[in-house]
Amino acid sequence: MRGWAERFMASGGAMARGLLPSYLLLLAQENLEFRLPEIKSLLSLCGGQFSSQQEIRINSPFWILNIPSEEMARGLMKRTVCAKSVFELWGQGKSAEELYTSLKNYPMEKMALEFLPFEGKVNLKNPEHIFWILEDYGMDPNNVPEDPLDLYFGRWIANGQRELIESYSVKRRHFIGNTSMDACLSFIMANHGRVKANDVVFDPFVGTGGLLISSARFGAYVCGTDIDYNTVHGLGKASRKNQKWRGPDENIRANLRQYGLEKYYLDALVSDASKPIWRKEMLFDAIITDPPYGIREATRRTGSQKEILKATERGTENHISISSNYHLSDIFFDLLNSAAEYLVMGGRLVYWLPVYKPEYTEEIIPRHPCLKLISNCEQMLSSHTSRRLITMEKVKEFEDEDQYSHLLDYQSLLYKGHNSFREKYFSGVTKRIAKEEKDNQK
């Protein structure tokens, strides 16, 4: 796609702000799979609804949306990191002639300006209205047509929040770890979770708190837990190059303070995600997390498997300081159970699920009777592995029998495949290194 835009700026005349059905969305050409779920989530957060009749070219940077009001369009752009700008669409066509005809047919009462060229003075420094012509040259950079495939003309409404990606970059983050989440993906996760002001957002694998930052930026109160004492307290070896030990003020609270968000920070606790610590009631508006996969961070819980089973049989909790392996399938089952029990109705769970691509099917996505799958987006990790951003919504109140319902499901055997993700990941790495060495010897 080769994009080109020419701006027309006018200052005279009062534009009627009636209800306009069509808006043109200009999107960034990255994280393509994440864009539609983000836009849908944000529209619902603003009180709107994505029309199933709308024809969207998923990979195109141009989407035409039916949005009830300009106010809702502005609300969408106050949150999105996937879209660059939104325009009130006045006309479109396959050629300049079609665009001209389309503009002439646009209702004059909605335009509230004389037909082009506009009358009145042009004010380039402080325009009252900004108009754009946008040309679409397709999505194949190796086959760019001489003439545009589509032309659009519209009034600029607002820009998205793309600047957050740079201003919250991990490169300048006060406190980071081996798996600190990319800023863009962090904001996408908060948007998929429909995080809003005064929500309470929880991360059960909080690490250095990167996911708390994006939710706090949107006005939510944030908290988390992690089994690693040193990480929660900002102690031990540093993750930055040429820095051996963490400084005295490298911690989660300092990260929130860095961005002026400390007032939204509730706390972080040292806790085992496999052992519930909360009272039995709905506490959180969203749970947003990135569980460990066993690649850069170990998957651990307290107590040996044998001791845990004995405690379960007795129906008692056995608080043991021994650390044991925490299988991925167990991590996800515990996570879904926790979300089902502690999310408010309509609250969302957003988490990453690592997958071995040759064996992936939608059936391996963990399910729960209290949670509805909203979206499933893939991010490539390597030629043979990826991770999927899973968004689920609580649709049913949690009951005791729901806790082990997955064990009765035939799909539970499919979920066990997640346990060997680490072996499959490194198996692929080993094969790739062997192939590269073989190629170099030729």
Side-chain angles (χ1 to χ4, degrees):
M1 188 279 293
R2 184 180 72 197
W4 172 85
E6 182 178 344
R7 303 183 183 191
F8 293 87
M9 304 183 183
S11 60
M15 178 168 287
R17 297 178 182 270
L19 295 178
L20 299 174
S22 296
Y23 289 81
L24 180 68
L25 202 61
L26 175 61
L27 296 116
Q29 285 298 86
E30 63 181 23
N31 298 313
L32 301 187
E33 282 204 20
F34 301 84
R35 300 185 308 181
L36 185 57
E38 190 206 49
I39 298 303
K40 285 183 175 181
S41 296
L42 294 179
L43 279 176
S44 68
L45 188 61
C46 294
Q49 187 175 4
F50 186 86
S51 172
S52 58
Q53 271 121 39
Q54 289 185 169
E55 294 185 8
I56 295 292
R57 293 181 295 166
I58 294 297
N59 293 331
S60 172
F62 298 103
W63 291 359
I64 297 176
L65 300 180
N66 296 322
I67 302 176
S69 68
E70 180 176 319
E71 181 184 4
M72 187 175 293
R74 291 183 182 277
L76 172 67
M77 302 312 286
K78 286 179 181 178
R79 289 289 301 266
T80 177
V81 292
C82 289
K84 294 181 176 180
S85 305
V86 68
F87 306 87
E88 179 186 78
L89 186 61
W90 284 21
Q92 66 182 109
K94 299 289 184 184
S95 63
E97 293 75 17
E98 284 188 15
L99 178 62
Y100 179 84
T101 301
S102 177
L103 281 168
K104 288 196 71 174
N105 292 332
Y106 190 79
M108 188 67 70
E109 67 273 12
K110 293 183 178 180
M111 196 177 290
L113 293 168
E114 295 297 326
F115 185 68
L116 304 181
F118 299 126
E119 294 183 356
K121 294 182 179 180
V122 174
N123 186 339
L124 296 179
K125 291 184 178 179
N126 187 28
E128 184 178 344
H129 303 293
I130 303 174
F131 298 91
W132 285 51
I133 292 178
L134 301 104
E135 298 182 348
D136 183 1
Y137 285 85
M139 294 172 281
D140 185 356
N142 299 316
N143 186 25
V144 180
E146 186 173 338
D147 297 316
L149 304 175
D150 290 285
L151 296 96
Y152 304 96
F153 182 90
R155 179 173 66 95
W156 174 81
I157 300 297
N159 289 333
Q161 303 300 311
R162 298 285 296 170
E163 75 277 0
L164 294 179
I165 299 171
E166 181 63 26
S167 58
Y168 283 79
S169 171
V170 175
K171 294 178 182 178
R172 293 188 294 276
R173 185 79 48 81
H174 193 70
F175 176 46
I176 63 169
N178 294 330
T179 58
S180 292
M181 184 64 63
D182 167 82
C184 182
L185 292 175
S186 295
F187 284 109
I188 287 175
M189 292 175 74
N191 284 336
H192 282 208
R194 295 193 303 191
V195 172
K196 61 184 183 302
N198 298 319
D199 278 354
V200 177
V201 178
F202 173 57
D203 182 353
F205 302 95
V206 69
T208 57
L211 297 181
L212 302 187
I213 292 171
S214 54
S215 292
R217 172 62 177 76
F218 295 137
Y221 294 93
V222 296
C223 59
T225 60
D226 202 286
I227 197 171
D228 192 325
Y229 179 95
N230 285 343
T231 299
V232 171
H233 290 279
L235 304 173
K237 292 184 178 180
S239 297
R240 294 189 189 279
K241 188 177 180 181
N242 301 324
Q243 181 182 341
K244 189 172 183 181
W245 301 101
R246 288 171 177 147
D249 198 32
E250 284 189 66
N251 51 56
I252 298 172
R253 184 181 293 275
N255 274 349
L256 276 292
R257 187 186 306 126
Q258 177 181 352
Y259 301 108
L261 302 172
E262 187 178 2
K263 66 179 180 180
Y264 297 111
Y265 180 55
L266 299 177
D267 210 343
L269 308 175
V270 179
S271 177
D272 180 350
S274 70
K275 299 182 184 300
I277 61 172
W278 309 107
R279 63 176 183 262
K280 291 186 177 296
E281 63 177 275
M282 294 181 284
L283 300 172
F284 307 119
D285 297 283
I287 296 176
I288 299 177
T289 192
D290 181 24
Y293 318 145
I295 307 301
R296 292 185 180 181
E297 295 290 344
T299 55
R300 296 184 293 127
R301 63 177 168 187
T302 55
S304 70
Q305 189 67 26
K306 186 175 180 181
E307 288 164 323
I308 290 170
L309 287 172
K310 284 183 178 179
T312 304
E313 289 171 4
R314 292 195 303 268
T316 60
E317 283 292 338
N318 193 3
H319 296 283
I320 308 162
S321 59
I322 301 169
S323 178
S324 69
N325 189 34
Y326 194 9
H327 294 302
L328 281 179
S329 61
D330 294 329
I331 287 177
F332 299 125
F333 286 138
D334 289 343
L335 178 61
L336 266 62
N337 269 328
S338 179
E341 185 165 5
Y342 299 117
L343 279 176
V344 301
M345 289 297 294
R348 288 193 169 184
L349 166 67
V350 183
Y351 73 96
W352 289 99
L353 177 74
V355 298
Y356 183 61
K357 287 169 55 180
E359 297 176 358
Y360 171 75
T361 67
E362 287 194 2
E363 289 184 319
I364 70 170
I365 304 299
R367 311 283 176 164
H368 195 282
C370 297
L371 303 172
K372 175 185 175 183
L373 181 65
I374 299 297
S375 61
N376 171 8
C377 309
E378 182 181 33
Q379 183 194 33
M380 304 291 287
L381 296 178
S382 69
S383 60
H384 59 287
T385 61
S386 66
R387 61 179 179 176
R388 308 192 77 91
L389 185 62
I390 307 298
T391 301
M392 309 184 84
E393 185 174 311
K394 184 171 178 178
V395 294
K396 173 185 175 296
E397 288 192 10
F398 181 82
E399 300 175 80
D400 289 341
E401 57 266 27
D402 294 326
Q403 185 171 1
Y404 300 107
S405 61
H406 62 275
L407 297 177
L408 304 175
D409 193 329
Y410 78 97
Q411 288 184 320
S412 63
L413 292 176
L414 295 173
Y415 304 157
K416 294 293 184 181
H418 297 305
N419 296 340
S420 57
F421 175 77
R422 187 178 190 278
E423 289 74 18
K424 292 170 183 174
Y425 176 89
F426 285 112
S427 171
V429 171
T430 303
K431 290 177 182 177
R432 190 191 75 231
I433 294 173
K435 183 178 183 301
E436 290 174 352
E437 290 177 347
K438 185 177 179 180
D439 292 341
N440 292 333
Q441 292 173 358
K442 290 180 180 180

